[in-house]
Amino acid sequence: MRTDMMKHLKSGCAAIAMICILFCGTVSATGYKTTELNRKMTEITSLQQSLSGKIELAMEKKKQLLQKIEALKEEIKQEKAQLQIESYKRAVLTPRIDYNLKLIQLLLGYIASLNEKIKYFQNGHETLGYYFKQAQDDLLMIKTLNDLEVEKLIAQINSILDEYTPETKKPLFDVDSVAMEDTERIWKDIVN
């Protein structure tokens, strides 16, 4: 009897030891997942702040460029009235009008580039918000998630971080790749 009791006691202790090992491993894995998700959420928040700063900067630059365009348009209208210019061909023969039209052309290209960058940064901000929310939700359910689900989410977060983080350190747009609008169209928009 004693031997049977000892066998049951040993197998019971072994089972308890296995449960402890499995539980400690699960707690350790859960701790790692929690730490990693919290770290990613911090990275997301930081990048979202950087993107918000870039969006604000781009919008401010856009506002300044629009003001400059309006001033140039007024100057063109004054020159047109003063010199009684009616055609585009004659307008571009006037150095001040020609210069202003080309400057407006350039500024409109800058604005188009800024608009693209603003949309890009806003999209990144929203995408990061989605992943932040998903990471928050996953933290609430961390014990039920398997490692593959958490690693997949972390990989998705890393991918979006890798895409947008370098963009926050670059200029808002490349002046060499700015699309130019036709100056004759600009002239017609101003005088009509």
Side-chain angles (χ1 to χ4, degrees):
M1 269 210 151
R2 238 177 183 192
T3 317
D4 285 340
M5 206 184 243
M6 289 301 273
K7 283 183 185 178
H8 286 296
L9 185 61
K10 284 181 183 178
S11 62
C13 286
I16 290 173
M18 286 299 288
I19 289 171
C20 285
I21 289 170
L22 288 174
F23 178 74
C24 290
T26 303
V27 168
S28 173
T30 301
Y32 167 76
K33 290 190 275 187
T34 301
T35 301
E36 190 64 17
L37 283 175
N38 279 321
R39 190 168 63 78
K40 291 302 168 189
M41 289 170 64
T42 301
E43 289 177 37
I44 287 171
T45 301
S46 175
L47 183 52
Q48 280 185 310
Q49 289 171 348
S50 294
L51 289 176
S52 291
K54 284 291 212 176
I55 291 168
E56 286 177 36
L57 177 63
M59 292 177 88
E60 181 60 34
K61 293 295 178 195
K62 179 181 168 182
K63 180 181 170 186
Q64 291 170 359
L65 294 175
L66 287 169
Q67 289 171 345
K68 182 67 176 168
I69 287 172
E70 286 307 310
L72 292 168
K73 285 180 177 182
E74 280 305 310
E75 196 173 302
I76 289 172
K77 288 176 184 178
Q78 289 172 2
E79 285 283 311
K80 177 190 176 294
Q82 185 179 6
L83 299 173
Q84 299 176 351
I85 297 172
E86 295 303 321
S87 71
Y88 170 74
K89 288 183 181 185
R90 189 156 166 242
V92 293
L93 294 175
T94 306
R96 188 82 218 144
I97 292 176
D98 186 48
Y99 175 78
N100 284 359
L101 286 171
K102 288 179 180 171
L103 190 52
I104 290 171
Q105 178 187 44
L106 183 64
L107 296 177
L108 287 172
Y110 290 172
I111 289 171
S113 294
L114 285 171
N115 285 336
E116 288 175 21
K117 209 54 142 171
I118 289 168
K119 283 181 194 173
Y120 178 74
F121 287 147
Q122 287 172 334
N123 182 53
H125 195 277
E126 290 171 13
T127 303
L128 288 166
Y130 168 78
Y131 285 125
F132 184 90
K133 183 79 172 126
Q134 190 173 352
Q136 259 184 335
D137 292 346
D138 286 2
L139 276 173
L140 296 174
M141 305 182 319
I142 198 97
K143 290 180 182 171
T144 61
L145 294 175
N146 66 39
D147 289 339
L148 288 177
E149 291 175 69
V150 173
E151 287 178 20
K152 180 180 174 188
L153 175 61
I154 289 171
Q156 290 171 327
I157 291 171
N158 284 337
S159 175
I160 199 77
L161 290 171
D162 290 345
E163 178 181 348
Y164 285 94
T165 300
E167 291 297 321
T168 62
K169 293 164 181 47
K170 292 180 181 178
L172 289 173
F173 60 89
D174 179 11
V175 294
D176 295 330
S177 64
V178 171
M180 299 290 199
E181 197 172 317
D182 182 47
T183 55
E184 188 170 3
R185 182 178 302 138
I186 296 168
W187 166 258
K188 287 178 182 175
D189 287 344
I190 293 170
V191 297
N192 291 332

